[in-house]
Amino acid sequence: MTTQVLHTVHISLEERSYPIHIGHDLLAGESVFSGLPSAHTALIVSNTTVAPLYVAKLKAGLAPHYARVLTLELPDGEAHKHWETLNLIFDVLLANTADRKTTLFALGGGVVGDMTGFAAASYMRGVPFVQVPTTLLAQVDSSVGGKTGINHPLGKNMVGAFYQPQMVLCDLATLGTLPPREVSAGLAEVIKYGPIADMEFFDWIEANIEKLVSLDSVTLAHAVKRSCEIKAWVVGQDERESGLRAILNFGHTFGHAIEAGLGYGEWLHGEAVGCGMVMAATLSERLGLVDAAFVARLTRLIAAAGLPVKAPLLHAADNAGAYLDLMRHDKKSEAGEIRFVVIDGPGRAALRSAPDALVREVIDACNL
Amino acid sequence: MTTQVLHTVHISLEERSYPIHIGHDLLAGESVFSGLPSAHTALIVSNTTVAPLYVAKLKAGLAPHYARVLTLELPDGEAHKHWETLNLIFDVLLANTADRKTTLFALGGGVVGDMTGFAAASYMRGVPFVQVPTTLLAQVDSSVGGKTGINHPLGKNMVGAFYQPQMVLCDLATLGTLPPREVSAGLAEVIKYGPIADMEFFDWIEANIEKLVSLDSVTLAHAVKRSCEIKAWVVGQDERESGLRAILNFGHTFGHAIEAGLGYGEWLHGEAVGCGMVMAATLSERLGLVDAAFVARLTRLIAAAGLPVKAPLLHAADNAGAYLDLMRHDKKSEAGEIRFVVIDGPGRAALRSAPDALVREVIDACNL
């Protein structure tokens, strides 16, 4: 198969603007790299799972553009998204005397992208980087928008930077090697864009959910494109999450509590978000913002994507209390008040606080 | 003594602009804090040396503005400017459920300011912070301009961010407790502004060097003000050091080699910069840019400030080679080429590379 760019989405952030190329076999496509700032050295950061599949191909694509292409394999998984792993990137950069024009390529899923992005933001106070997301989740969400970071024992993504890549390459060919569970996890973030911003897209996802689950490539290309467009529109208006951008966290407040409560890695991020969207939609219903039919429809689609729709038990004696405690520690909380993204009518999201008693009812209603 | 703002210098960086207030007894001056963004929590980060002297005073000044004022004492010194110490700041923020409006106050010298600034840049991807520099070096240099970061075993300040404070408070009263060696180290960065940008200021420093060494407060206030103005002018044109800003590193390329070669902490940063300026001026002379009289005059002033003017031996067998190796690892190098800040005529700086042989001559000429 030859390199083919199917869609290009532009993220408009003044001098930090960048293109997202979506297509087939982009890794080895030398031409897409010609727009990047020139540099002597490139560093491909990947993980032990993805590297054997795609590093050689990307390295070949970069060879005409850089005198030296270094590679680094990080351990795979959310459990390694901490300082010690991040430091491996600085170690290899410094051991190779990499200068401040050195360009980093994040080849992998969200964890590789977040850590490589934060390393690029911080190495010598900022070097260029390119996102090459190889999971559906990363292609439709984490590689777009400039959020980078690592976890802290007391909270996820608590240390990081807003730092934009020079380019994002979404190579659909890399999705072929994804385990089905990760495909479903990625679809959670695709589905998310419907209720918060675009019910026509939601209709389309409903009509195409089987093709998406089975990785039909033309269908996937449209899902990635439309997801990136919506995210680009939101991020373009609120790069640093002072307002509107928070709507992208629909399902994430409950979802983060699930991830933290079960221990990171037990559920995939997308799985937690899938279930979290059911919970946030249920809260929206209890607040009188949407009807029960809407919640049921969203729940059906999430289930059809292969995602969990029932909330796990985090604590035997006071389960709702455990959820509330975890959510109060979320980054989006302010002075201990939890700010929920709710659906304020289909296709429109809003930020709301809610009485603890009501949130407890929602958690109980959504439990297994 | 009551709070008195003698000078205010404005740093113009669009929405990242901020004031530098210079005066007496500013820490306890509640009114200067009223311009800051409102927040529930403030965290004062200081060190074990400075905290006993000034934390109580600053805490009293902040009390009317924040419901909760937390404090943290870091171990003192450049040797602790690494990830483990930085993480103490994240630990206390997360243990106290500090939200994303929490404002950090860096109370101390350059190390405290660099680490607190990087923590503020990274905590939840960015919270507000205020620099309260208590050393002359930090007041005239490190607290202005938004450079933050930590050291890596393979290089100083290799991991960090450009991140601007909301405000800088230069309280001259805090300089009274500085050891003489640190006063001299601060004067190195004051002297620096003369040869690179303003020979009238250089004349003034020459005429007032004794008053400065003995901490005369009106003289100091002017020195801090003029230093901040020159730095503000440079940083305002080149926030992220893509060009002009590099001139602020006059003396720093040789200076960093001295610091790294002797082991960080052996010489103070300002001492290494003092000697580094003699070396960089000598290089400028060898390149035919300034005459010997200028080098001699600068050397005399640096000595009068109580600073070393002879370069230490870093390696018995190949001393110049050791300097060159270290300088090639400096952040300002590109693809292994060392970029020196030279004096291109008194009051004007430029970036230049130079043949290794010539640099070796300079190092030998400046050696003890």
Side-chain angles (χ1 to χ4, degrees):
Chain A
M1 194 180 275
T2 51
T3 297
Q4 190 187 4
V5 176
L6 296 171
H7 306 289
T8 296
V9 177
H10 291 281
I11 308 278
S12 295
L13 297 167
E14 293 164 19
E15 78 278 12
R16 297 177 304 287
S17 300
Y18 57 92
I20 303 170
H21 299 301
I22 302 157
H24 290 293
D25 214 32
L26 302 181
L27 301 191
E30 306 174 11
S31 61
V32 293
F33 301 114
S34 58
L36 295 170
S38 67
H40 176 268
T41 302
L43 169 65
I44 302 172
V45 180
S46 191
N47 67 34
T48 48
T49 309
V50 174
L53 299 169
Y54 303 115
V55 155
K57 192 175 270 192
L58 180 57
K59 203 168 175 175
L62 296 178
H65 298 284
Y66 301 91
R68 186 170 64 157
V69 181
L70 306 169
T71 61
L72 173 65
E73 290 185 27
L74 304 179
D76 188 12
E78 183 81 30
H80 301 282
K81 191 175 158 183
H82 50 47
W83 175 260
E84 285 74 15
T85 314
L86 180 72
N87 224 12
L88 297 174
I89 305 177
F90 299 132
D91 291 346
V92 74
L93 288 168
L94 283 161
N96 287 282
T97 327
D99 66 22
R100 64 204 318 181
K101 291 189 170 175
T102 299
T103 304
L104 272 55
F105 290 79
L107 177 69
V111 172
V112 165
D114 283 6
M115 284 201 290
T116 307
F118 189 37
S122 307
Y123 183 63
M124 295 189 177
R125 303 195 185 92
V127 296
F129 89 111
V130 174
Q131 292 274 20
V132 190
T134 60
T135 68
L136 182 57
L137 184 89
Q139 292 192 356
V140 300
D141 183 42
S142 53
S143 71
V144 180
K147 282 194 182 181
T148 71
I150 55 174
N151 298 331
H152 181 281
L154 293 177
K156 203 176 147 162
N157 294 320
M158 283 297 176
V159 175
F162 287 100
Y163 195 69
Q164 304 298 339
Q166 300 288 320
M167 177 186 287
V168 181
L169 288 189
C170 296
D171 189 335
L172 300 168
T174 63
L175 303 183
T177 49
L178 270 189
R181 203 179 149 193
E182 291 210 29
V183 174
S184 295
L187 289 174
E189 301 278 3
V190 174
I191 292 169
K192 175 186 81 177
Y193 293 109
I196 65 168
D198 183 352
M199 286 304 287
E200 266 183 52
F201 184 46
F202 190 78
D203 296 341
W204 179 90
I205 302 168
E206 269 185 332
N208 290 279
I209 190 66
E210 284 176 34
K211 283 190 193 168
L212 289 168
V213 169
S214 61
L215 295 173
D216 174 76
S217 128
V218 172
T219 315
L220 270 179
H222 178 74
V224 172
K225 169 178 169 275
R226 189 67 197 126
S227 297
C228 290
E229 280 173 352
I230 296 172
K231 182 149 188 183
W233 173 77
V234 173
V235 171
Q237 290 175 82
D238 178 22
E239 184 179 0
R240 298 180 72 89
E241 199 166 38
S242 43
L244 179 70
R245 184 167 178 165
I247 69 169
L248 297 174
N249 292 306
F250 176 54
H252 284 60
T253 302
F254 288 105
H256 285 162
I258 293 172
E259 287 185 271
L262 294 178
Y264 290 109
E266 187 64 27
W267 280 27
L268 295 176
H269 174 68
E271 291 171 336
V273 168
C275 181
M277 287 193 287
V278 174
M279 300 175 84
T282 305
L283 176 63
S284 309
E285 184 202 345
R286 303 277 170 134
L287 288 166
L289 303 171
V290 293
D291 60 20
F294 173 80
V295 179
R297 186 182 165 199
L298 177 63
T299 306
R300 271 196 308 276
L301 180 58
I302 291 168
L307 293 162
V309 294
K310 288 287 182 187
L313 205 65
L314 301 184
H315 191 282
D318 182 16
N319 184 53
Y323 271 89
L324 281 164
D325 273 359
L326 288 161
M327 291 191 290
R328 253 188 269 284
H329 279 73
D330 196 86
K331 273 203 299 301
K332 279 90 202 173
S333 299
E334 273 178 24
E337 187 179 82
I338 309 165
R339 311 233 295 153
F340 295 97
V341 183
V342 294
I343 301 305
D344 187 23
R348 202 169 63 236
L351 278 176
R352 280 284 187 95
S353 60
D356 277 8
L358 188 71
V359 178
R360 283 179 175 272
E361 278 178 36
V362 168
I363 294 162
D364 292 341
C366 292
N367 256 143
L368 283 171
Chain B
M1 193 181 274
T2 52
T3 298
Q4 191 186 4
V5 175
L6 295 172
H7 306 290
T8 295
V9 178
H10 291 281
I11 308 276
S12 295
L13 296 166
E14 294 165 18
E15 78 279 10
R16 295 176 304 287
S17 300
Y18 58 93
I20 303 170
H21 299 301
I22 301 157
H24 292 293
D25 215 32
L26 302 181
L27 300 190
E30 306 173 10
S31 61
V32 293
F33 301 115
S34 58
L36 294 171
S38 67
H40 176 269
T41 304
L43 169 65
I44 302 173
V45 180
S46 191
N47 67 34
T48 49
T49 308
V50 174
L53 299 169
Y54 303 115
V55 156
K57 191 175 271 192
L58 180 57
K59 203 168 176 175
L62 296 177
H65 297 283
Y66 301 91
R68 186 169 64 156
V69 181
L70 307 169
T71 61
L72 173 65
E73 290 185 25
L74 303 178
D76 189 13
E78 182 81 30
H80 300 283
K81 190 175 158 183
H82 50 47
W83 174 259
E84 285 74 14
T85 314
L86 180 73
N87 223 12
L88 297 175
I89 306 177
F90 299 131
D91 291 345
V92 74
L93 288 167
L94 284 162
N96 287 282
T97 328
D99 66 21
R100 65 204 318 180
K101 292 188 168 173
T102 300
T103 304
L104 272 54
F105 290 79
L107 177 69
V111 172
V112 165
D114 283 5
M115 283 200 291
T116 307
F118 188 37
S122 307
Y123 184 63
M124 293 188 177
R125 302 195 187 93
V127 295
F129 89 112
V130 173
Q131 292 275 19
V132 190
T134 61
T135 67
L136 182 58
L137 185 88
Q139 292 192 356
V140 301
D141 183 42
S142 52
S143 71
V144 179
K147 283 194 183 182
T148 71
I150 54 173
N151 299 331
H152 181 281
L154 293 178
K156 203 176 148 163
N157 294 321
M158 283 297 176
V159 175
F162 286 101
Y163 194 69
Q164 304 297 340
Q166 299 287 320
M167 178 185 287
V168 181
L169 288 188
C170 296
D171 189 334
L172 300 168
T174 63
L175 303 183
T177 50
L178 270 189
R181 203 179 149 195
E182 292 208 28
V183 175
S184 295
L187 288 174
E189 301 278 3
V190 175
I191 292 169
K192 175 186 81 178
Y193 294 108
I196 65 167
D198 183 354
M199 286 305 286
E200 265 183 54
F201 184 46
F202 191 78
D203 297 341
W204 179 89
I205 302 167
E206 269 185 330
N208 290 279
I209 189 67
E210 284 177 32
K211 284 189 192 170
L212 289 168
V213 169
S214 61
L215 295 173
D216 175 75
S217 126
V218 173
T219 315
L220 270 179
H222 178 74
V224 173
K225 171 179 168 276
R226 188 68 197 124
S227 297
C228 289
E229 281 173 353
I230 295 171
K231 182 149 187 182
W233 172 78
V234 173
V235 171
Q237 290 175 81
D238 178 22
E239 185 178 0
R240 298 180 71 90
E241 198 165 36
S242 43
L244 179 69
R245 183 167 179 165
I247 69 167
L248 296 173
N249 292 307
F250 175 54
H252 284 61
T253 302
F254 288 106
H256 286 162
I258 293 172
E259 287 184 272
L262 293 178
Y264 290 110
E266 188 63 26
W267 280 28
L268 295 176
H269 174 68
E271 292 172 336
V273 168
C275 181
M277 288 192 287
V278 174
M279 300 175 83
T282 305
L283 176 63
S284 309
E285 185 203 344
R286 303 276 169 132
L287 288 167
L289 304 171
V290 291
D291 60 20
F294 174 81
V295 180
R297 187 183 163 200
L298 176 63
T299 305
R300 271 196 308 276
L301 180 57
I302 291 168
L307 293 162
V309 294
K310 287 287 183 188
L313 206 64
L314 301 184
H315 192 282
D318 182 14
N319 184 53
Y323 270 89
L324 282 164
D325 272 359
L326 288 161
M327 292 192 289
R328 253 187 268 284
H329 279 75
D330 196 85
K331 273 203 297 303
K332 278 90 202 171
S333 299
E334 272 176 24
E337 186 179 82
I338 309 165
R339 312 233 295 154
F340 295 97
V341 183
V342 294
I343 301 305
D344 187 24
R348 205 171 61 235
L351 278 176
R352 280 284 187 96
S353 58
D356 278 8
L358 189 70
V359 178
R360 283 179 174 272
E361 279 178 36
V362 168
I363 294 163
D364 291 342
C366 293
N367 256 146
L368 283 169

